[in-house]
Each structure stands twice: as structure tokens, then as C-alpha cells.
Amino acid sequence: MDFIEKNLDCVVSAYVLLTEFVNSLPLQAIKYKLESFSEEVKKSPYVRELKNYVDRVEATSVGKKFIDVQLPDLNGKIQKLSELIGNGKYILLNFWASWCLPCRETNEE
């Protein structure tokens, strides 16, 4: 972080923030750093990616409206999440990873 603080006009600082600190700093700290970078650094692809990260986190943070996903149900019928919400029901979304062998085995049953 000292390097970043001392080199706000260096693209490498944006790269280091993106690759080393993005998952460990609070969102407000990342936003502050983005504003602190020089205008030249703000044009870099690293700052662009950091801004995309901030937008994604803000869009999916607690208290924000959910992203209305559409996925097939067990019978193959496409369901929108928004169509399932309401009437005091609880909705459990279970996402699995295609690289996870136990997940894949469960889905093949």
C-alpha cells in the first residue's frame, strides 16, 4: 500500500491494487484510491477493471434488489427469479461449479 500511496501517477499502482488488494480492502477504500489516481492512470485498463469490480459489488450488495436471473427448473422450464418471489415463500438458490467433481456427480443423479 505504501507503493500505491507514493505512486498515484504510476499505472503499476493500479495494477497492484487490482491484483493484490482488491479482495482485502473495503469498497470505500478502493473507491478512494480510484479517485486519487492521476488522470493518466485513470485511463488504464486496470482502473477500468477496478471500476467494473466496484460496480458489480455495489449492484449485488446487501439491501440492493436482486439480479433477476433466468434458469431452467428441474423439468427444463425457464424460470425467472422474480416469478418465484412472494407469498411468504423462501427461495434457495444453489449454484455449483462445473469444475467441482462432487457438484457434477450430484447434478447427474
mmCIF file with all atom_site columns, all heavy atoms in Angstrom, residues 50-77:
data_model
loop_
_atom_site.group_PDB
_atom_site.id
_atom_site.type_symbol
_atom_site.label_atom_id
_atom_site.label_alt_id
_atom_site.label_comp_id
_atom_site.label_asym_id
_atom_site.label_entity_id
_atom_site.label_seq_id
_atom_site.pdbx_PDB_ins_code
_atom_site.Cartn_x
_atom_site.Cartn_y
_atom_site.Cartn_z
_atom_site.occupancy
_atom_site.B_iso_or_equiv
_atom_site.pdbx_formal_charge
_atom_site.auth_seq_id
_atom_site.auth_comp_id
_atom_site.auth_asym_id
_atom_site.auth_atom_id
_atom_site.pdbx_PDB_model_num
ATOM 1   N N   . LEU A 1 50 ? -11.010 -2.163  -12.133 1.00 0.00 ? 50 LEU A N   1
ATOM 2   C CA  . LEU A 1 50 ? -11.350 -1.835  -10.752 1.00 0.00 ? 50 LEU A CA  1
ATOM 3   C C   . LEU A 1 50 ? -12.721 -1.176  -10.662 1.00 0.00 ? 50 LEU A C   1
ATOM 4   O O   . LEU A 1 50 ? -13.519 -1.486  -9.763  1.00 0.00 ? 50 LEU A O   1
ATOM 5   C CB  . LEU A 1 50 ? -10.284 -0.924  -10.141 1.00 0.00 ? 50 LEU A CB  1
ATOM 6   C CG  . LEU A 1 50 ? -8.974  -1.602  -9.759  1.00 0.00 ? 50 LEU A CG  1
ATOM 7   C CD1 . LEU A 1 50 ? -7.862  -0.578  -9.596  1.00 0.00 ? 50 LEU A CD1 1
ATOM 8   C CD2 . LEU A 1 50 ? -9.149  -2.426  -8.491  1.00 0.00 ? 50 LEU A CD2 1
ATOM 9   N N   . LYS A 1 51 ? -13.015 -0.289  -11.598 1.00 0.00 ? 51 LYS A N   1
ATOM 10  C CA  . LYS A 1 51 ? -14.342 0.355   -11.612 1.00 0.00 ? 51 LYS A CA  1
ATOM 11  C C   . LYS A 1 51 ? -15.438 -0.675  -11.887 1.00 0.00 ? 51 LYS A C   1
ATOM 12  O O   . LYS A 1 51 ? -16.510 -0.606  -11.283 1.00 0.00 ? 51 LYS A O   1
ATOM 13  C CB  . LYS A 1 51 ? -14.375 1.482   -12.647 1.00 0.00 ? 51 LYS A CB  1
ATOM 14  C CG  . LYS A 1 51 ? -13.597 2.698   -12.219 1.00 0.00 ? 51 LYS A CG  1
ATOM 15  C CD  . LYS A 1 51 ? -13.659 3.796   -13.258 1.00 0.00 ? 51 LYS A CD  1
ATOM 16  C CE  . LYS A 1 51 ? -12.894 5.007   -12.793 1.00 0.00 ? 51 LYS A CE  1
ATOM 17  N NZ  . LYS A 1 51 ? -12.921 6.100   -13.768 1.00 0.00 ? 51 LYS A NZ  1
ATOM 18  N N   . ASN A 1 52 ? -15.180 -1.606  -12.771 1.00 0.00 ? 52 ASN A N   1
ATOM 19  C CA  . ASN A 1 52 ? -16.151 -2.680  -13.024 1.00 0.00 ? 52 ASN A CA  1
ATOM 20  C C   . ASN A 1 52 ? -16.382 -3.500  -11.765 1.00 0.00 ? 52 ASN A C   1
ATOM 21  O O   . ASN A 1 52 ? -17.517 -3.870  -11.454 1.00 0.00 ? 52 ASN A O   1
ATOM 22  C CB  . ASN A 1 52 ? -15.678 -3.596  -14.157 1.00 0.00 ? 52 ASN A CB  1
ATOM 23  C CG  . ASN A 1 52 ? -15.771 -2.942  -15.504 1.00 0.00 ? 52 ASN A CG  1
ATOM 24  O OD1 . ASN A 1 52 ? -16.538 -2.008  -15.712 1.00 0.00 ? 52 ASN A OD1 1
ATOM 25  N ND2 . ASN A 1 52 ? -14.981 -3.415  -16.444 1.00 0.00 ? 52 ASN A ND2 1
ATOM 26  N N   . TYR A 1 53 ? -15.306 -3.780  -11.048 1.00 0.00 ? 53 TYR A N   1
ATOM 27  C CA  . TYR A 1 53 ? -15.418 -4.516  -9.786  1.00 0.00 ? 53 TYR A CA  1
ATOM 28  C C   . TYR A 1 53 ? -16.289 -3.753  -8.793  1.00 0.00 ? 53 TYR A C   1
ATOM 29  O O   . TYR A 1 53 ? -17.203 -4.320  -8.188  1.00 0.00 ? 53 TYR A O   1
ATOM 30  C CB  . TYR A 1 53 ? -14.027 -4.773  -9.201  1.00 0.00 ? 53 TYR A CB  1
ATOM 31  C CG  . TYR A 1 53 ? -14.061 -5.313  -7.808  1.00 0.00 ? 53 TYR A CG  1
ATOM 32  C CD1 . TYR A 1 53 ? -14.315 -6.667  -7.573  1.00 0.00 ? 53 TYR A CD1 1
ATOM 33  C CD2 . TYR A 1 53 ? -13.863 -4.482  -6.711  1.00 0.00 ? 53 TYR A CD2 1
ATOM 34  C CE1 . TYR A 1 53 ? -14.361 -7.176  -6.277  1.00 0.00 ? 53 TYR A CE1 1
ATOM 35  C CE2 . TYR A 1 53 ? -13.907 -4.979  -5.421  1.00 0.00 ? 53 TYR A CE2 1
ATOM 36  C CZ  . TYR A 1 53 ? -14.153 -6.320  -5.214  1.00 0.00 ? 53 TYR A CZ  1
ATOM 37  O OH  . TYR A 1 53 ? -14.210 -6.810  -3.931  1.00 0.00 ? 53 TYR A OH  1
ATOM 38  N N   . VAL A 1 54 ? -16.026 -2.470  -8.630  1.00 0.00 ? 54 VAL A N   1
ATOM 39  C CA  . VAL A 1 54 ? -16.803 -1.643  -7.708  1.00 0.00 ? 54 VAL A CA  1
ATOM 40  C C   . VAL A 1 54 ? -18.277 -1.649  -8.112  1.00 0.00 ? 54 VAL A C   1
ATOM 41  O O   . VAL A 1 54 ? -19.160 -1.827  -7.268  1.00 0.00 ? 54 VAL A O   1
ATOM 42  C CB  . VAL A 1 54 ? -16.246 -0.199  -7.659  1.00 0.00 ? 54 VAL A CB  1
ATOM 43  C CG1 . VAL A 1 54 ? -17.215 0.746   -6.956  1.00 0.00 ? 54 VAL A CG1 1
ATOM 44  C CG2 . VAL A 1 54 ? -14.880 -0.171  -6.989  1.00 0.00 ? 54 VAL A CG2 1
ATOM 45  N N   . ASP A 1 55 ? -18.560 -1.505  -9.396  1.00 0.00 ? 55 ASP A N   1
ATOM 46  C CA  . ASP A 1 55 ? -19.945 -1.511  -9.875  1.00 0.00 ? 55 ASP A CA  1
ATOM 47  C C   . ASP A 1 55 ? -20.636 -2.839  -9.565  1.00 0.00 ? 55 ASP A C   1
ATOM 48  O O   . ASP A 1 55 ? -21.789 -2.861  -9.142  1.00 0.00 ? 55 ASP A O   1
ATOM 49  C CB  . ASP A 1 55 ? -20.000 -1.235  -11.376 1.00 0.00 ? 55 ASP A CB  1
ATOM 50  C CG  . ASP A 1 55 ? -19.617 0.187   -11.738 1.00 0.00 ? 55 ASP A CG  1
ATOM 51  O OD1 . ASP A 1 55 ? -19.591 1.056   -10.827 1.00 0.00 ? 55 ASP A OD1 1
ATOM 52  O OD2 . ASP A 1 55 ? -19.337 0.428   -12.926 1.00 0.00 ? 55 ASP A OD2 1
ATOM 53  N N   . ARG A 1 56 ? -19.925 -3.956  -9.785  1.00 0.00 ? 56 ARG A N   1
ATOM 54  C CA  . ARG A 1 56 ? -20.512 -5.285  -9.517  1.00 0.00 ? 56 ARG A CA  1
ATOM 55  C C   . ARG A 1 56 ? -20.796 -5.474  -8.037  1.00 0.00 ? 56 ARG A C   1
ATOM 56  O O   . ARG A 1 56 ? -21.850 -5.984  -7.661  1.00 0.00 ? 56 ARG A O   1
ATOM 57  C CB  . ARG A 1 56 ? -19.593 -6.393  -10.028 1.00 0.00 ? 56 ARG A CB  1
ATOM 58  C CG  . ARG A 1 56 ? -19.558 -6.522  -11.530 1.00 0.00 ? 56 ARG A CG  1
ATOM 59  C CD  . ARG A 1 56 ? -18.822 -7.779  -11.978 1.00 0.00 ? 56 ARG A CD  1
ATOM 60  N NE  . ARG A 1 56 ? -17.534 -7.999  -11.339 1.00 0.00 ? 56 ARG A NE  1
ATOM 61  C CZ  . ARG A 1 56 ? -16.362 -7.596  -11.830 1.00 0.00 ? 56 ARG A CZ  1
ATOM 62  N NH1 . ARG A 1 56 ? -16.310 -6.946  -12.960 1.00 0.00 ? 56 ARG A NH1 1
ATOM 63  N NH2 . ARG A 1 56 ? -15.244 -7.856  -11.181 1.00 0.00 ? 56 ARG A NH2 1
ATOM 64  N N   . VAL A 1 57 ? -19.864 -5.068  -7.194  1.00 0.00 ? 57 VAL A N   1
ATOM 65  C CA  . VAL A 1 57 ? -20.053 -5.225  -5.751  1.00 0.00 ? 57 VAL A CA  1
ATOM 66  C C   . VAL A 1 57 ? -21.210 -4.351  -5.273  1.00 0.00 ? 57 VAL A C   1
ATOM 67  O O   . VAL A 1 57 ? -22.061 -4.792  -4.499  1.00 0.00 ? 57 VAL A O   1
ATOM 68  C CB  . VAL A 1 57 ? -18.756 -4.913  -4.977  1.00 0.00 ? 57 VAL A CB  1
ATOM 69  C CG1 . VAL A 1 57 ? -19.008 -4.843  -3.480  1.00 0.00 ? 57 VAL A CG1 1
ATOM 70  C CG2 . VAL A 1 57 ? -17.698 -5.960  -5.284  1.00 0.00 ? 57 VAL A CG2 1
ATOM 71  N N   . GLU A 1 58 ? -21.267 -3.123  -5.747  1.00 0.00 ? 58 GLU A N   1
ATOM 72  C CA  . GLU A 1 58 ? -22.358 -2.228  -5.342  1.00 0.00 ? 58 GLU A CA  1
ATOM 73  C C   . GLU A 1 58 ? -23.712 -2.749  -5.821  1.00 0.00 ? 58 GLU A C   1
ATOM 74  O O   . GLU A 1 58 ? -24.704 -2.663  -5.099  1.00 0.00 ? 58 GLU A O   1
ATOM 75  C CB  . GLU A 1 58 ? -22.114 -0.815  -5.861  1.00 0.00 ? 58 GLU A CB  1
ATOM 76  C CG  . GLU A 1 58 ? -21.012 -0.103  -5.116  1.00 0.00 ? 58 GLU A CG  1
ATOM 77  C CD  . GLU A 1 58 ? -20.782 1.312   -5.579  1.00 0.00 ? 58 GLU A CD  1
ATOM 78  O OE1 . GLU A 1 58 ? -21.075 1.647   -6.747  1.00 0.00 ? 58 GLU A OE1 1
ATOM 79  O OE2 . GLU A 1 58 ? -20.283 2.097   -4.759  1.00 0.00 ? 58 GLU A OE2 1
ATOM 80  N N   . ALA A 1 59 ? -23.754 -3.306  -7.012  1.00 0.00 ? 59 ALA A N   1
ATOM 81  C CA  . ALA A 1 59 ? -25.016 -3.798  -7.569  1.00 0.00 ? 59 ALA A CA  1
ATOM 82  C C   . ALA A 1 59 ? -25.539 -5.031  -6.838  1.00 0.00 ? 59 ALA A C   1
ATOM 83  O O   . ALA A 1 59 ? -26.734 -5.312  -6.865  1.00 0.00 ? 59 ALA A O   1
ATOM 84  C CB  . ALA A 1 59 ? -24.847 -4.120  -9.054  1.00 0.00 ? 59 ALA A CB  1
ATOM 85  N N   . THR A 1 60 ? -24.640 -5.765  -6.185  1.00 0.00 ? 60 THR A N   1
ATOM 86  C CA  . THR A 1 60 ? -25.049 -7.002  -5.520  1.00 0.00 ? 60 THR A CA  1
ATOM 87  C C   . THR A 1 60 ? -24.909 -6.938  -4.002  1.00 0.00 ? 60 THR A C   1
ATOM 88  O O   . THR A 1 60 ? -24.962 -7.968  -3.337  1.00 0.00 ? 60 THR A O   1
ATOM 89  C CB  . THR A 1 60 ? -24.224 -8.193  -6.055  1.00 0.00 ? 60 THR A CB  1
ATOM 90  O OG1 . THR A 1 60 ? -22.835 -7.931  -5.837  1.00 0.00 ? 60 THR A OG1 1
ATOM 91  C CG2 . THR A 1 60 ? -24.478 -8.427  -7.527  1.00 0.00 ? 60 THR A CG2 1
ATOM 92  N N   . SER A 1 61 ? -24.760 -5.747  -3.457  1.00 0.00 ? 61 SER A N   1
ATOM 93  C CA  . SER A 1 61 ? -24.570 -5.628  -2.014  1.00 0.00 ? 61 SER A CA  1
ATOM 94  C C   . SER A 1 61 ? -25.889 -5.798  -1.268  1.00 0.00 ? 61 SER A C   1
ATOM 95  O O   . SER A 1 61 ? -26.978 -5.703  -1.848  1.00 0.00 ? 61 SER A O   1
ATOM 96  C CB  . SER A 1 61 ? -23.926 -4.282  -1.676  1.00 0.00 ? 61 SER A CB  1
ATOM 97  O OG  . SER A 1 61 ? -24.782 -3.228  -2.037  1.00 0.00 ? 61 SER A OG  1
ATOM 98  N N   . VAL A 1 62 ? -25.774 -6.040  0.018   1.00 0.00 ? 62 VAL A N   1
ATOM 99  C CA  . VAL A 1 62 ? -26.947 -6.230  0.870   1.00 0.00 ? 62 VAL A CA  1
ATOM 100 C C   . VAL A 1 62 ? -27.846 -4.999  0.778   1.00 0.00 ? 62 VAL A C   1
ATOM 101 O O   . VAL A 1 62 ? -27.374 -3.868  0.827   1.00 0.00 ? 62 VAL A O   1
ATOM 102 C CB  . VAL A 1 62 ? -26.512 -6.474  2.336   1.00 0.00 ? 62 VAL A CB  1
ATOM 103 C CG1 . VAL A 1 62 ? -27.718 -6.514  3.261   1.00 0.00 ? 62 VAL A CG1 1
ATOM 104 C CG2 . VAL A 1 62 ? -25.699 -7.748  2.442   1.00 0.00 ? 62 VAL A CG2 1
ATOM 105 N N   . GLY A 1 63 ? -29.131 -5.244  0.616   1.00 0.00 ? 63 GLY A N   1
ATOM 106 C CA  . GLY A 1 63 ? -30.102 -4.164  0.518   1.00 0.00 ? 63 GLY A CA  1
ATOM 107 C C   . GLY A 1 63 ? -30.442 -3.772  -0.907  1.00 0.00 ? 63 GLY A C   1
ATOM 108 O O   . GLY A 1 63 ? -31.420 -3.068  -1.142  1.00 0.00 ? 63 GLY A O   1
ATOM 109 N N   . LYS A 1 64 ? -29.640 -4.200  -1.862  1.00 0.00 ? 64 LYS A N   1
ATOM 110 C CA  . LYS A 1 64 ? -29.922 -3.913  -3.262  1.00 0.00 ? 64 LYS A CA  1
ATOM 111 C C   . LYS A 1 64 ? -30.888 -4.962  -3.806  1.00 0.00 ? 64 LYS A C   1
ATOM 112 O O   . LYS A 1 64 ? -30.932 -6.093  -3.341  1.00 0.00 ? 64 LYS A O   1
ATOM 113 C CB  . LYS A 1 64 ? -28.641 -3.945  -4.111  1.00 0.00 ? 64 LYS A CB  1
ATOM 114 C CG  . LYS A 1 64 ? -27.645 -2.900  -3.738  1.00 0.00 ? 64 LYS A CG  1
ATOM 115 C CD  . LYS A 1 64 ? -28.095 -1.544  -4.194  1.00 0.00 ? 64 LYS A CD  1
ATOM 116 C CE  . LYS A 1 64 ? -27.016 -0.530  -3.876  1.00 0.00 ? 64 LYS A CE  1
ATOM 117 N NZ  . LYS A 1 64 ? -27.268 0.755   -4.431  1.00 0.00 ? 64 LYS A NZ  1
ATOM 118 N N   . LYS A 1 65 ? -31.645 -4.581  -4.802  1.00 0.00 ? 65 LYS A N   1
ATOM 119 C CA  . LYS A 1 65 ? -32.551 -5.524  -5.449  1.00 0.00 ? 65 LYS A CA  1
ATOM 120 C C   . LYS A 1 65 ? -31.719 -6.617  -6.127  1.00 0.00 ? 65 LYS A C   1
ATOM 121 O O   . LYS A 1 65 ? -30.660 -6.350  -6.682  1.00 0.00 ? 65 LYS A O   1
ATOM 122 C CB  . LYS A 1 65 ? -33.402 -4.798  -6.481  1.00 0.00 ? 65 LYS A CB  1
ATOM 123 C CG  . LYS A 1 65 ? -34.459 -5.669  -7.094  1.00 0.00 ? 65 LYS A CG  1
ATOM 124 C CD  . LYS A 1 65 ? -35.383 -4.849  -7.969  1.00 0.00 ? 65 LYS A CD  1
ATOM 125 C CE  . LYS A 1 65 ? -36.254 -5.659  -8.769  1.00 0.00 ? 65 LYS A CE  1
ATOM 126 N NZ  . LYS A 1 65 ? -37.233 -6.328  -8.819  1.00 0.00 ? 65 LYS A NZ  1
ATOM 127 N N   . PHE A 1 66 ? -32.233 -7.826  -6.073  1.00 0.00 ? 66 PHE A N   1
ATOM 128 C CA  . PHE A 1 66 ? -31.529 -8.960  -6.664  1.00 0.00 ? 66 PHE A CA  1
ATOM 129 C C   . PHE A 1 66 ? -31.457 -8.837  -8.185  1.00 0.00 ? 66 PHE A C   1
ATOM 130 O O   . PHE A 1 66 ? -32.252 -8.140  -8.803  1.00 0.00 ? 66 PHE A O   1
ATOM 131 C CB  . PHE A 1 66 ? -32.220 -10.277 -6.287  1.00 0.00 ? 66 PHE A CB  1
ATOM 132 C CG  . PHE A 1 66 ? -33.645 -10.367 -6.754  1.00 0.00 ? 66 PHE A CG  1
ATOM 133 C CD1 . PHE A 1 66 ? -33.958 -10.835 -8.023  1.00 0.00 ? 66 PHE A CD1 1
ATOM 134 C CD2 . PHE A 1 66 ? -34.684 -9.981  -5.928  1.00 0.00 ? 66 PHE A CD2 1
ATOM 135 C CE1 . PHE A 1 66 ? -35.260 -10.911 -8.456  1.00 0.00 ? 66 PHE A CE1 1
ATOM 136 C CE2 . PHE A 1 66 ? -35.995 -10.059 -6.352  1.00 0.00 ? 66 PHE A CE2 1
ATOM 137 C CZ  . PHE A 1 66 ? -36.283 -10.529 -7.622  1.00 0.00 ? 66 PHE A CZ  1
ATOM 138 N N   . ILE A 1 67 ? -30.519 -9.541  -8.764  1.00 0.00 ? 67 ILE A N   1
ATOM 139 C CA  . ILE A 1 67 ? -30.408 -9.625  -10.211 1.00 0.00 ? 67 ILE A CA  1
ATOM 140 C C   . ILE A 1 67 ? -31.369 -10.710 -10.658 1.00 0.00 ? 67 ILE A C   1
ATOM 141 O O   . ILE A 1 67 ? -31.341 -11.831 -10.169 1.00 0.00 ? 67 ILE A O   1
ATOM 142 C CB  . ILE A 1 67 ? -28.968 -9.942  -10.641 1.00 0.00 ? 67 ILE A CB  1
ATOM 143 C CG1 . ILE A 1 67 ? -28.040 -8.802  -10.207 1.00 0.00 ? 67 ILE A CG1 1
ATOM 144 C CG2 . ILE A 1 67 ? -28.876 -10.181 -12.142 1.00 0.00 ? 67 ILE A CG2 1
ATOM 145 C CD1 . ILE A 1 67 ? -26.575 -9.097  -10.390 1.00 0.00 ? 67 ILE A CD1 1
ATOM 146 N N   . ASP A 1 68 ? -32.259 -10.388 -11.544 1.00 0.00 ? 68 ASP A N   1
ATOM 147 C CA  . ASP A 1 68 ? -33.325 -11.300 -11.955 1.00 0.00 ? 68 ASP A CA  1
ATOM 148 C C   . ASP A 1 68 ? -32.791 -12.336 -12.944 1.00 0.00 ? 68 ASP A C   1
ATOM 149 O O   . ASP A 1 68 ? -32.861 -12.167 -14.152 1.00 0.00 ? 68 ASP A O   1
ATOM 150 C CB  . ASP A 1 68 ? -34.487 -10.520 -12.570 1.00 0.00 ? 68 ASP A CB  1
ATOM 151 C CG  . ASP A 1 68 ? -35.760 -11.328 -12.622 1.00 0.00 ? 68 ASP A CG  1
ATOM 152 O OD1 . ASP A 1 68 ? -35.829 -12.389 -11.973 1.00 0.00 ? 68 ASP A OD1 1
ATOM 153 O OD2 . ASP A 1 68 ? -36.704 -10.897 -13.308 1.00 0.00 ? 68 ASP A OD2 1
ATOM 154 N N   . VAL A 1 69 ? -32.261 -13.431 -12.407 1.00 0.00 ? 69 VAL A N   1
ATOM 155 C CA  . VAL A 1 69 ? -31.701 -14.492 -13.239 1.00 0.00 ? 69 VAL A CA  1
ATOM 156 C C   . VAL A 1 69 ? -32.808 -15.348 -13.833 1.00 0.00 ? 69 VAL A C   1
ATOM 157 O O   . VAL A 1 69 ? -33.899 -15.458 -13.278 1.00 0.00 ? 69 VAL A O   1
ATOM 158 C CB  . VAL A 1 69 ? -30.715 -15.376 -12.444 1.00 0.00 ? 69 VAL A CB  1
ATOM 159 C CG1 . VAL A 1 69 ? -29.509 -14.582 -12.012 1.00 0.00 ? 69 VAL A CG1 1
ATOM 160 C CG2 . VAL A 1 69 ? -31.391 -16.002 -11.246 1.00 0.00 ? 69 VAL A CG2 1
ATOM 161 N N   . GLN A 1 70 ? -32.512 -15.955 -14.968 1.00 0.00 ? 70 GLN A N   1
ATOM 162 C CA  . GLN A 1 70 ? -33.414 -16.901 -15.616 1.00 0.00 ? 70 GLN A CA  1
ATOM 163 C C   . GLN A 1 70 ? -32.667 -18.210 -15.795 1.00 0.00 ? 70 GLN A C   1
ATOM 164 O O   . GLN A 1 70 ? -31.613 -18.231 -16.423 1.00 0.00 ? 70 GLN A O   1
ATOM 165 C CB  . GLN A 1 70 ? -33.840 -16.408 -17.003 1.00 0.00 ? 70 GLN A CB  1
ATOM 166 C CG  . GLN A 1 70 ? -34.595 -15.123 -17.014 1.00 0.00 ? 70 GLN A CG  1
ATOM 167 C CD  . GLN A 1 70 ? -35.031 -14.803 -18.423 1.00 0.00 ? 70 GLN A CD  1
ATOM 168 O OE1 . GLN A 1 70 ? -36.109 -15.168 -18.814 1.00 0.00 ? 70 GLN A OE1 1
ATOM 169 N NE2 . GLN A 1 70 ? -34.182 -14.129 -19.167 1.00 0.00 ? 70 GLN A NE2 1
ATOM 170 N N   . LEU A 1 71 ? -33.218 -19.288 -15.240 1.00 0.00 ? 71 LEU A N   1
ATOM 171 C CA  . LEU A 1 71 ? -32.576 -20.589 -15.320 1.00 0.00 ? 71 LEU A CA  1
ATOM 172 C C   . LEU A 1 71 ? -33.639 -21.670 -15.469 1.00 0.00 ? 71 LEU A C   1
ATOM 173 O O   . LEU A 1 71 ? -34.770 -21.488 -15.042 1.00 0.00 ? 71 LEU A O   1
ATOM 174 C CB  . LEU A 1 71 ? -31.741 -20.851 -14.053 1.00 0.00 ? 71 LEU A CB  1
ATOM 175 C CG  . LEU A 1 71 ? -30.584 -19.909 -13.807 1.00 0.00 ? 71 LEU A CG  1
ATOM 176 C CD1 . LEU A 1 71 ? -30.041 -20.106 -12.397 1.00 0.00 ? 71 LEU A CD1 1
ATOM 177 C CD2 . LEU A 1 71 ? -29.487 -20.146 -14.820 1.00 0.00 ? 71 LEU A CD2 1
ATOM 178 N N   . PRO A 1 72 ? -33.267 -22.818 -16.040 1.00 0.00 ? 72 PRO A N   1
ATOM 179 C CA  . PRO A 1 72 ? -34.241 -23.906 -16.149 1.00 0.00 ? 72 PRO A CA  1
ATOM 180 C C   . PRO A 1 72 ? -34.480 -24.568 -14.787 1.00 0.00 ? 72 PRO A C   1
ATOM 181 O O   . PRO A 1 72 ? -33.549 -24.731 -14.000 1.00 0.00 ? 72 PRO A O   1
ATOM 182 C CB  . PRO A 1 72 ? -33.595 -24.883 -17.131 1.00 0.00 ? 72 PRO A CB  1
ATOM 183 C CG  . PRO A 1 72 ? -32.149 -24.554 -17.126 1.00 0.00 ? 72 PRO A CG  1
ATOM 184 C CD  . PRO A 1 72 ? -32.020 -23.123 -16.724 1.00 0.00 ? 72 PRO A CD  1
ATOM 185 N N   . ASP A 1 73 ? -35.745 -24.947 -14.530 1.00 0.00 ? 73 ASP A N   1
ATOM 186 C CA  . ASP A 1 73 ? -36.043 -25.692 -13.310 1.00 0.00 ? 73 ASP A CA  1
ATOM 187 C C   . ASP A 1 73 ? -35.750 -27.170 -13.542 1.00 0.00 ? 73 ASP A C   1
ATOM 188 O O   . ASP A 1 73 ? -35.179 -27.547 -14.579 1.00 0.00 ? 73 ASP A O   1
ATOM 189 C CB  . ASP A 1 73 ? -37.489 -25.454 -12.856 1.00 0.00 ? 73 ASP A CB  1
ATOM 190 C CG  . ASP A 1 73 ? -38.529 -25.957 -13.842 1.00 0.00 ? 73 ASP A CG  1
ATOM 191 O OD1 . ASP A 1 73 ? -38.178 -26.725 -14.777 1.00 0.00 ? 73 ASP A OD1 1
ATOM 192 O OD2 . ASP A 1 73 ? -39.713 -25.598 -13.685 1.00 0.00 ? 73 ASP A OD2 1
ATOM 193 N N   . LEU A 1 74 ? -36.117 -28.022 -12.612 1.00 0.00 ? 74 LEU A N   1
ATOM 194 C CA  . LEU A 1 74 ? -35.816 -29.453 -12.729 1.00 0.00 ? 74 LEU A CA  1
ATOM 195 C C   . LEU A 1 74 ? -36.466 -30.098 -13.948 1.00 0.00 ? 74 LEU A C   1
ATOM 196 O O   . LEU A 1 74 ? -36.003 -31.131 -14.426 1.00 0.00 ? 74 LEU A O   1
ATOM 197 C CB  . LEU A 1 74 ? -36.249 -30.180 -11.461 1.00 0.00 ? 74 LEU A CB  1
ATOM 198 C CG  . LEU A 1 74 ? -35.464 -29.819 -10.207 1.00 0.00 ? 74 LEU A CG  1
ATOM 199 C CD1 . LEU A 1 74 ? -36.065 -30.495 -8.988  1.00 0.00 ? 74 LEU A CD1 1
ATOM 200 C CD2 . LEU A 1 74 ? -34.000 -30.181 -10.357 1.00 0.00 ? 74 LEU A CD2 1
ATOM 201 N N   . ASN A 1 75 ? -37.539 -29.489 -14.458 1.00 0.00 ? 75 ASN A N   1
ATOM 202 C CA  . ASN A 1 75 ? -38.237 -30.024 -15.628 1.00 0.00 ? 75 ASN A CA  1
ATOM 203 C C   . ASN A 1 75 ? -37.805 -29.360 -16.930 1.00 0.00 ? 75 ASN A C   1
ATOM 204 O O   . ASN A 1 75 ? -38.366 -29.635 -17.983 1.00 0.00 ? 75 ASN A O   1
ATOM 205 C CB  . ASN A 1 75 ? -39.747 -29.872 -15.445 1.00 0.00 ? 75 ASN A CB  1
ATOM 206 C CG  . ASN A 1 75 ? -40.241 -30.629 -14.234 1.00 0.00 ? 75 ASN A CG  1
ATOM 207 O OD1 . ASN A 1 75 ? -39.847 -31.773 -14.004 1.00 0.00 ? 75 ASN A OD1 1
ATOM 208 N ND2 . ASN A 1 75 ? -41.063 -29.983 -13.426 1.00 0.00 ? 75 ASN A ND2 1
ATOM 209 N N   . GLY A 1 76 ? -36.835 -28.465 -16.851 1.00 0.00 ? 76 GLY A N   1
ATOM 210 C CA  . GLY A 1 76 ? -36.331 -27.795 -18.043 1.00 0.00 ? 76 GLY A CA  1
ATOM 211 C C   . GLY A 1 76 ? -37.074 -26.519 -18.400 1.00 0.00 ? 76 GLY A C   1
ATOM 212 O O   . GLY A 1 76 ? -36.728 -25.852 -19.358 1.00 0.00 ? 76 GLY A O   1
ATOM 213 N N   . LYS A 1 77 ? -38.109 -26.162 -17.638 1.00 0.00 ? 77 LYS A N   1
ATOM 214 C CA  . LYS A 1 77 ? -38.864 -24.936 -17.900 1.00 0.00 ? 77 LYS A CA  1
ATOM 215 C C   . LYS A 1 77 ? -38.072 -23.734 -17.383 1.00 0.00 ? 77 LYS A C   1
ATOM 216 O O   . LYS A 1 77 ? -37.592 -23.728 -16.254 1.00 0.00 ? 77 LYS A O   1
ATOM 217 C CB  . LYS A 1 77 ? -40.222 -24.997 -17.200 1.00 0.00 ? 77 LYS A CB  1
ATOM 218 C CG  . LYS A 1 77 ? -41.059 -23.764 -17.420 1.00 0.00 ? 77 LYS A CG  1
ATOM 219 C CD  . LYS A 1 77 ? -42.359 -23.832 -16.633 1.00 0.00 ? 77 LYS A CD  1
ATOM 220 C CE  . LYS A 1 77 ? -43.089 -22.505 -16.783 1.00 0.00 ? 77 LYS A CE  1
ATOM 221 N NZ  . LYS A 1 77 ? -44.074 -22.316 -15.728 1.00 0.00 ? 77 LYS A NZ  1
#
